[in-house]
Amino acid sequence: MPERNQDDVSEFHEFERAGWERVAGDYHRYFAALTTRFIEPLLDAGGVKAGCRVLDVATGPGYVAAAADRGAEVSGIDFAEAAVAVARQQYPDIAFQTASAEELPFPDSHFDVVLMNFGLLHLARPERALAEAHRVLRPGGRIAFSVWADPQACVGFKIILDAIAEHGNMDVPLPEGPPFFRFSDPAESKRVLVEAGFLNPDVKVTDTDWAMPDADTLFETFLHGAVRTGALLQAQSPDAQSAIRQAARDGVMTFNDAGSIRLPMAAVLSSAKKP
């Protein structure tokens, strides 16, 4: 990846942080039923077991706190205070704090496992976050992170992005960040893990489906519960938004089977070991 200047990095970091301050509660409302499907595979990839110290980076609503059910000691951090507030409300027995994934407030070799559930794709400097994860892991510890697969395997993303491309404007003035689907490519995930100093990276695709209660939920989810895609939708004209909503509704209904709407979705789970 080409180097980005510090102004671009800072602008994107603040854009994402402010976005999550705004949508943290709606993200929990709209995405919980989907993203929690990938928690157990993520814990498995990280080798989470009783007695290990787990750090959940970019914790969001705190779903990786499920590691505590395996007997692990869990800590979570997020750069958005609103997200930390949601996590504390959901899991009051877990230690959550506001901190940056790129500057972890923990000593070297402190954790057995570092996890990120759909967090890496929201960071201005993902390589820096992986380097920090490497630093705070003990020798032999594991990192595991999940990201969305590319839109061909994530129908919800494909429907909404295709609708914007057809009826709206994809070229709106948003801060430039790393490509959203960068780590959907297994080769890229393996490359950055090795570059960060990890060994034997393993990448797997995990499939599920996303139940939609009605045809409008997909549009509402991205409008209110997402940062980058939400900002893209909010930047459209009223007429374009209306056309995008209808196209998204039509796309969702192609997956309607006798009143049950389920969109195929997939995540890419990457893991590796610290020497």
Side-chain angles (χ1 to χ4, degrees), residues 31-82:
F31 279 100
L34 173 62
T35 57
T36 53
R37 297 274 193 96
F38 300 100
I39 298 298
E40 289 301 319
L42 185 67
L43 300 184
D44 291 342
V48 174
K49 59 185 178 181
C52 67
R53 283 183 172 180
V54 175
L55 175 62
D56 181 22
V57 175
T59 191
Y63 303 142
V64 175
D69 294 338
R70 298 189 178 192
E73 178 186 334
V74 185
S75 301
I77 68 103
D78 200 284
F79 63 0
E81 292 182 6

Side-chain angles (χ1 to χ4, degrees), residues 80-236:
E81 292 182 6
V84 170
V86 173
R88 286 173 175 163
Q89 183 178 33
Q90 296 297 311
Y91 307 99
D93 296 331
I94 303 298
F96 296 104
Q97 62 179 294
T98 305
S100 171
E102 299 169 12
E103 296 180 18
L104 295 174
F106 303 103
D108 296 356
S109 304
H110 189 67
F111 293 98
D112 301 295
V113 183
V114 172
L115 303 173
M116 283 185 273
N117 191 43
F118 301 105
L120 197 63
L121 43 79
H122 297 291
L123 303 180
R125 298 186 298 173
E127 292 90 347
R128 175 64 182 166
L130 293 175
E132 276 291 272
H134 187 277
R135 179 184 67 78
V136 302
L137 276 170
R138 64 165 176 80
R142 291 191 63 79
I143 184 172
F145 64 84
S146 59
V147 297
W148 295 114
D150 68 62
Q152 296 303 318
C154 276
V155 168
F157 278 102
K158 179 171 172 51
I159 289 172
I160 203 74
L161 293 175
D162 284 354
I164 298 171
E166 182 175 357
H167 299 285
N169 177 16
M170 296 291 285
D171 187 22
V172 299
L174 300 180
E176 182 181 356
F180 189 83
F181 294 103
R182 173 184 173 187
F183 299 108
S184 307
D185 177 2
E188 179 66 3
S189 290
K190 289 180 180 180
R191 186 191 69 78
V192 294
L193 284 167
V194 170
E195 188 176 82
F198 291 99
L199 297 176
N200 304 320
D202 181 61
V203 181
K204 298 177 180 177
V205 176
T206 300
D207 298 300
T208 189
D209 54 49
W210 190 5
M212 293 280 112
D214 57 58
D216 282 310
T217 294
L218 183 70
F219 180 88
E220 294 294 329
T221 294
F222 281 104
L223 181 65
H224 299 297
V227 173
R228 271 202 252 191
T229 310
L232 185 59
L233 285 168
Q234 291 158 19
Q236 307 300 317

